[in-house]
Amino acid sequence: MVKVYAPASIGNVGVGFDLLGAAVAPVDGSLLGDVIEVRGEAQNDFELSVIGQFKAYLPQDPKDNVVYQCCHYYRDALQAKMPNQQWPFLALELDKRLPVGSGLGSSATSIVAALVALNEYYGQAFERFELLEMMGHFEAKLSGSLHYDNVAPCFLGGIQLMTEDEQICRALPVPEQWYWVMAYSGISVSTKMARDVLPQTLSLATAKAYARNLAAFVDALHQGLYQRAAGFITDVVAEPHRIGLLPGFAEVRQQLLAQGAVACGISGSGPTVFTVADSLQKAEQFQQVLNQQYLQNERGFCLVCRIDTQGARVLAAAKSE
Ligand code: HSE
């Protein structure tokens, strides 16, 4: 048996469209992310069962679930790599703990948890970089475009900058004093739909503003100038086109910034938004504001988080008899 957890993540982090991502963990110690358990071997095919709060929002047939597709993809790759060995099918359980279409990297957590669990069970046949490439492949399949800004932090933890070179990404310094208040409004926005509203080209002025903000943010983090870094968290690429998909966001952000929020932006493709606070007390104050003014229905929630520096991890492992 192997049980793996993969955390929620903030795609873009407001300043690095498709190129920046951060993993988050609630301060109350709860698990904000999916869990996959490999329960043992199966006879003729992979067997996937699904449990959890958000099970109802996934395809009814487990064979349409991305986890099942990850299983076949991984096993095919394993057979191609080591053709002289027999690789059994497995029985797995997905605990779907993240809402779908939330902007919390929901599909990434399923993909990452599945591939890490498979790699653990089958004896770590693939290197981290190879696994990350597989994760990117599935994220692209689901959202229609290859971006690593959810799968990379979900897998590796921390704040990750996509370099898309041989290492794919690099970890950035994590401001220790920042709390990240994550507010999911309760409505669903698919990444594909949120990408369809984006323009295919950027003006020179927008391209320059995007490059300047991201470069200055990364530079300030490396210098440990966190307040200065926060000042560059401005999304000139996606937010102007997506803000109409997020009822109430513009108003609540104005309020949060007036109350001293360090930064505020859309998490991934939304509707979750993040607000950065420089103390737990302020984070809890912002949590109340968001609870009252941003949540749209009973499915919404708001959690005070820190950056999850561990990424995907094995929660339990036991050798079968
Ligand atoms: N970078 C992606 C986007 C994150 O904004 O569309 C969502 O998966």
Side-chain angles (χ1 to χ4, degrees):
M1 183 276 279
V2 175
K3 199 170 182 173
V4 168
Y5 166 68
S9 54
I10 307 173
N12 307 333
V13 197
V15 57
F17 176 73
D18 275 1
L19 298 182
L20 199 62
V24 287
V27 292
D28 64 10
S30 58
L31 296 181
L32 183 65
D34 291 352
V35 175
I36 292 203
E37 186 176 325
V38 179
R39 311 191 114 188
E41 296 183 6
Q43 284 302 312
N44 304 314
D45 192 2
F46 286 99
E47 289 169 12
L48 176 64
S49 53
V50 184
I51 60 166
Q53 197 184 347
F54 297 101
K55 167 189 165 150
Y57 301 91
L58 295 177
Q60 290 228 314
D61 184 349
K63 292 192 173 171
D64 293 330
N65 192 298
V66 69
V67 170
Y68 176 83
Q69 292 158 15
C70 284
C71 290
H72 275 284
Y73 189 85
Y74 183 99
R75 186 171 175 272
D76 289 351
L78 201 54
Q79 266 175 339
K81 189 170 181 149
M82 291 182 249
N84 298 326
Q85 289 191 49
Q86 290 293 314
W87 302 103
F89 293 109
L90 303 174
L92 301 96
E93 181 184 79
L94 163 65
D95 183 2
K96 187 68 205 164
R97 304 171 61 90
L98 274 191
V100 177
S102 58
L104 287 162
S106 176
S107 49
T109 63
S110 289
I111 293 166
V112 171
L115 289 168
V116 171
L118 291 164
N119 206 43
E120 284 294 321
Y121 195 92
Y122 285 123
Q124 302 196 333
F126 291 100
E127 305 278 339
R128 297 188 115 196
F129 170 77
E130 293 172 299
L131 280 184
L132 189 48
E133 268 196 333
M134 289 186 199
M135 292 163 185
H137 166 86
F138 277 100
E139 181 71 65
K141 233 177 125 170
L142 290 190
S143 69
S145 109
L146 176 61
H147 51 273
Y148 286 97
D149 56 331
N150 285 120
V151 288
C154 175
F155 178 35
L156 302 170
I159 304 177
Q160 298 285 339
L161 174 70
M162 307 315 128
T163 47
E164 299 183 7
D165 55 358
E166 69 290 346
Q167 286 182 43
I168 299 185
C169 58
R170 300 284 189 292
L172 296 180
V174 173
E176 283 293 327
Q177 65 269 49
W178 284 3
Y179 290 83
W180 302 71
V181 188
M182 306 298 299
Y184 168 54
S185 64
I187 59 175
S188 183
V189 174
S190 84
T191 299
K192 184 158 185 336
M193 194 253 273
R195 294 186 80 84
D196 286 346
V197 302
L198 302 179
Q200 289 307 303
T201 55
L202 296 180
S203 71
L204 199 53
T206 306
K208 193 172 129 187
Y210 174 62
R212 184 197 55 226
N213 287 339
L214 181 56
F217 175 78
V218 171
D219 175 60
L221 278 192
H222 277 297
Q223 293 192 59
L225 301 172
Y226 301 139
Q227 195 66 31
R228 177 193 290 238
F232 292 104
I233 300 184
T234 305
D235 181 355
V236 294
V237 176
E239 192 189 293
H241 305 281
R242 287 178 171 167
I243 199 146
L245 302 174
L246 311 184
F249 172 55
E251 296 79 7
V252 81
R253 176 172 53 192
Q254 218 172 13
Q255 249 193 68
L256 292 164
L257 293 174
Q259 289 184 26
V262 172
C264 193
I266 303 174
S267 177
S269 51
T272 295
V273 297
F274 71 88
T275 301
V276 180
D278 55 13
S279 71
L280 181 56
Q281 193 197 357
K282 278 196 201 150
E284 286 170 349
Q285 177 188 328
F286 301 153
Q287 182 185 28
Q288 275 189 19
V289 173
L290 286 156
N291 262 328
Q292 284 162 11
Q293 296 182 37
Y294 188 61
L295 272 48
Q296 304 276 321
N297 57 42
E298 69 294 338
R299 286 210 300 142
F301 56 79
C302 184
L303 292 167
V304 176
C305 298
R306 304 299 298 260
I307 294 297
D308 181 326
T309 52
Q310 292 181 70
R313 48 203 178 258
V314 176
L315 295 181
K319 285 237 174 294
S320 46
E321 301 286 298

